[in-house]
C-alpha cells in the first residue's frame, strides 16, 4: 500500500492525505482526511485521472476516514471518477460513507449515478462479478 501527499490547486500546498492499494484488477484509493472539502477535491480528481492513465479501470474510493462534508458540490468530483471508469469499461465504487455524508448524497441524487456499497469487500466482490460477466460475454461473442 502506498501513502501519498499531493499538493493542491494554486500551489497553496495544502495537502491531501490518501493511500492507494493497487491490485491486478482494481485499485483502492483511501482518503485519509476528516473533511471532504473543495480544498481536497481537485487533488482527488487528479488522482482519479492519474490512476486511469496508469490503466486502472476499476477504482474503489474508501471514504471511511471522512467524517464531514458540508457541500454536495464537493462530492461532484465523484462523477469524474465514475465517468473515467465507465469510459474505460470499468466501475467506480464508493465505500465507507457515514450517515451525514449519505444524506448529502441522497439530496444531491449522486446515488443515481455513482455506485455506493457499505464495505470494501462488497466493492471487490462487485468488481470481480463485473469482470467475470465481461469475460463470459466475450466468450459468448466469440462462440
Amino acid at each position: 500500500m502506498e501513502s501519498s501527499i499531493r499538493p493542491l490547486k494554486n500551489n497553496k500546498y495544502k495537502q491531501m492525505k490518501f493511500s492507494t492499494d493497487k491490485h491486478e484488477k482494481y485499485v483502492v484509493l483511501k482518503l485519509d482526511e476528516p473533511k471532504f472539502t473543495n480544498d481536497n477535491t481537485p487533488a482527488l480528481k487528479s488522482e482519479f485521472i492519474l490512476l486511469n492513465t496508469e490503466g486502472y479501470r476499476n477504482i474503489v474510493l474508501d471514504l471511511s476516514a471522512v467524517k464531514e462534508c458540508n457541500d454536495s458540490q464537493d462530492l461532484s468530483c465523484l462523477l469524474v471518477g465514475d465517468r473515467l471508469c465507465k469510459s474505460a469499461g470499468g466501475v467506480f465504487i464508493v465505500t465507507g460513507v457515514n450517515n451525514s455524508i449519505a444524506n448529502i448524497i441522497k439530496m444531491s441524487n449522486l446515488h443515481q449515478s455513482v455506485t455506493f456499497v457499505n464495505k470494501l469487500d462488497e466493492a471487490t466482490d462487485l468488481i470481480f462479478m463485473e469482470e467475470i460477466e465481461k469475460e463470459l460475454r466475450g466468450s459468448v461473442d466469440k462462440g
Side-chain angles (χ1 to χ4, degrees), residues 2-20 22 27 29-33 39-54:
E2 301 172 22
S3 290
S4 301
I5 297 176
R6 297 264 194 254
L8 295 176
K9 63 181 180 179
N10 301 331
N11 294 325
K12 289 182 183 177
Y13 289 97
K14 285 190 175 190
Q15 298 175 340
M16 180 181 82
K17 296 176 194 157
F18 67 97
S19 58
T20 53
K22 296 178 178 179
V27 62
L29 176 64
K30 181 174 182 179
L31 186 58
D32 294 318
E33 295 280 348
D39 285 338
N40 54 27
T41 55
L44 192 56
K45 286 181 196 177
S46 296
E47 195 62 26
F48 293 154
I49 293 167
L50 180 65
L51 290 168
N52 189 256
T53 57
E54 288 178 11

Side-chain angles (χ1 to χ4, degrees), residues 59-71:
I59 299 175
V60 178
L61 177 62
D62 184 351
L63 296 179
S64 58
V66 179
K67 303 301 175 211
E68 187 178 333
C69 177
N70 297 326
D71 188 356

Side-chain angles (χ1 to χ4, degrees), residues 101-119:
I101 296 173
N103 289 335
I104 295 171
I105 289 166
K106 285 179 186 170
M107 285 189 295
S108 64
N109 290 321
L110 266 175
H111 64 287
Q112 294 178 351
S113 303
V114 178
T115 302
F116 291 89
V117 297
N118 291 322
K119 297 183 179 181

Side-chain angles (χ1 to χ4, degrees), residues 24-27 51-52 55-60 78-94 113-115 123 126-134 137:
E24 183 182 344
K25 299 274 185 187
Y26 67 97
V27 62
L51 290 168
N52 189 256
Y56 288 99
R57 65 180 186 184
N58 298 310
I59 299 175
V60 178
L78 303 180
L79 295 170
V80 173
D82 188 62
R83 191 169 41 251
L84 285 168
C85 291
K86 283 180 179 169
S87 68
V91 292
F92 179 77
I93 303 171
V94 181
S113 303
V114 178
T115 302
L126 185 58
I127 288 168
F128 284 112
M129 287 187 332
E130 290 279 332
E131 290 294 317
I132 290 169
E133 188 177 302
K134 284 178 191 144
R137 266 189 270 139

